[in-house]
Amino acid sequence: MARAVHDHDSAEGLVPLETARETVLSQIHPLPPIELPLTDAFGCVAATDIKAAVDLPEFASSGMDGYAVRAADVASATPGSPAELTVVGRAMIGHRPEATVGTGEAVQIATGAPIPSGADAVVPIENTELPDDDLVRLFEAVDEGRHVRPKGEDVQEGTVLVPAGKRLGAPELGLLANAGVPHPLVHPRPRVIVLSTGDELVPPTESPSFGQVRDANAYTLFGALREVGAIPVLAGIVRDDPEALKEAVFSYEIQADAFVSSGGVSVGERDVVKAAFFKHGDIAFSKVAMQPGMPQGFGFIEGKPFFGLPGNPVSVFVSFEMFVRPAMLKMMGRGHLGRPEVSAVLTHDVKGPRDKTVFARVELARGADGWRATPTGGRGSNLISTVARANGLAVLPPGVGTASSGEKVSVLLFRATED
Ligand code: AMP
Ligand code: MG
């Protein structure tokens, strides 16, 4: 059974935000790892230490165009008294050398070509002369290993290429490709079914008749899920009919790793998510002490996490940040689940209820003496443009209520200030 968030209800029926988050996140686990092709594994977290089965590079090669020789054979070569060696063949890139190098012998070699066995150094072509096809004069003594890129110089067989828990970025992808690991074992990206509930909703492609509202939340959630690295699947608008919602949810169950719905979680009996899954499913509904975003549903449908977010567009955004985003990161095997946090000076007052964690949308900018946070608009949870103008959420912990202009607040940065 999912532990109900409201198990922890305080006297006022409000669950502290941190308690609600802990309740949710303690029930979320990394998705079972699978082997994915490199292009799909990009951005995913390695599920185990990925070890090298080969040395890299796999063979010693030449760093110069020239002649592969035995260093001992050219030890006394000078411009005035060159060494003369018999040319016994060529070593070309991508091929096994035509010949090995014995005493008194040399193999003509290209940059990147494998060093023929027997040779231990390369004399660059500019320090040689070819009196005829079979004879090379070398005007320079070279130390053993000179101009040879050794086998295993980059990575030695058995060493860890990518440690468990590390996210595969561009360099890791190249390294794994080079080392012959085309299907690394990673935690996959969760496939998340997004549902918008509400009789009033129409898709953004339709013109609403009076009283109807274009569905914003599906698109906010789409972007937020993409940004965090999950795979959103827009399941569309569901009417305020519990049977329709159940049908929609169960029709997607087979392909879902998680569900996120918006709307229909308030206290009213007519709230559709509650009506569909309260008692039937394993979903608990509670009032979280946060503004915006108070009513929240969380639980499991067939073992898959279901986040029932409130309907107000700003509440959706903030609830996603607080609950869904860290849960997605945890499902993807990520260790750090938070946003970057900076301390900033408020340029205007921010007001909210004292008994809740208050999130104010702010635009964070670097001033001459540190970060400044400018609130982007009113308190209403329906004012989606206030999120669009913001790059951060100023956090007033419970008990604070109001923060005045000039005061320092903590701000969660949800996108780069340059964006
Ligand atoms: P609810 O939580 O379902 O009562 O919705 C709260 C408010 O958010 C109502 O004003 C809804 O019209 C609005 N709302 C709900 N879902 C959406 C949505 N997908 N897009 C835009 N507004 C929404
Ligand atoms: Mg609704």
Side-chain angles (χ1 to χ4, degrees), residues 113-131:
I115 301 289
S117 66
D120 56 26
V122 171
V123 178
I125 193 139
E126 50 271 31
N127 296 327
T128 67
E129 179 179 282
L130 209 58

Side-chain angles (χ1 to χ4, degrees), residues 147-173:
H147 303 306
V148 174
R149 300 172 182 158
K151 176 180 199 264
E153 182 183 28
D154 197 0
V155 170
Q156 281 177 5
E157 183 186 333
T159 57
V160 175
L161 294 164
V162 180
K166 183 146 195 221
R167 197 171 171 216
L168 304 187
E172 286 75 23
L173 231 52

Side-chain angles (χ1 to χ4, degrees), residues 242-417:
E243 290 311 313
L245 180 61
K246 275 194 251 182
E247 196 181 311
V249 166
F250 286 109
S251 73
Y252 280 95
E253 191 272 315
I254 195 119
Q255 52 170 306
D257 293 310
F259 296 91
V260 182
S261 69
S262 64
V265 290
S266 301
V267 277
E269 273 307 301
R270 294 183 52 242
D271 281 299
V272 62
V273 180
K274 211 165 182 177
F277 295 115
F278 189 61
K279 291 186 187 141
H280 304 279
D282 207 358
I283 297 178
F285 294 85
S286 44
K287 286 198 231 164
V288 179
M290 66 192 281
Q291 191 194 67
M294 187 173 75
Q296 301 285 340
F298 173 73
F300 291 86
I301 301 282
E302 305 289 326
K304 294 159 182 191
F306 186 106
F307 297 86
L309 308 185
N312 276 310
V314 181
S315 306
V316 164
F317 184 81
V318 175
S319 308
F320 184 92
E321 285 290 314
M322 287 302 111
F323 300 105
V324 187
R325 188 173 188 277
M328 293 299 119
L329 290 170
K330 197 166 176 192
M331 288 173 87
M332 290 187 282
R334 300 275 288 274
H336 181 76
L337 308 182
R339 289 285 196 186
E341 200 167 342
V342 298
S343 179
V345 173
L346 279 174
T347 62
H348 295 82
D349 296 357
V350 168
K351 288 193 182 66
R354 270 180 84 88
D355 58 341
K356 293 178 182 166
T357 304
V358 175
F359 293 96
R361 290 77 79 185
V362 296
E363 189 185 358
L364 201 66
R366 199 190 279 282
D369 42 2
W371 292 103
R372 291 150 52 88
T374 304
T376 57
R379 282 166 58 186
S381 345
N382 51 337
L383 306 176
I384 182 88
S385 73
T386 63
V387 183
R389 282 197 299 274
N391 53 21
L393 294 173
V395 187
L396 309 190
V400 173
T402 297
S404 310
S405 173
E407 263 185 62
K408 277 214 159 180
V409 288
S410 178
V411 177
L412 300 172
L413 201 56
F414 63 77
R415 58 177 151 198
T417 50

Side-chain angles (χ1 to χ4, degrees), residues 93-116:
I93 53 170
H95 296 278
R96 184 176 288 283
E98 289 171 356
T100 60
V101 174
T103 303
E105 295 177 343
V107 161
Q108 189 197 337
I109 194 161
T111 306
I115 301 289

Side-chain angles (χ1 to χ4, degrees), residues 1-16 19-24 26-27 278 282-288 296 298:
M1 277 292 279
R3 268 183 291 135
V5 173
H6 60 209
D7 282 353
H8 306 276
D9 274 6
S10 65
E12 305 79 37
L14 285 179
V15 186
T19 309
R21 270 165 64 92
E22 174 53 30
T23 303
V24 169
S26 66
Q27 298 179 77
F278 189 61
D282 207 358
I283 297 178
F285 294 85
S286 44
K287 286 198 231 164
V288 179
Q296 301 285 340
F298 173 73

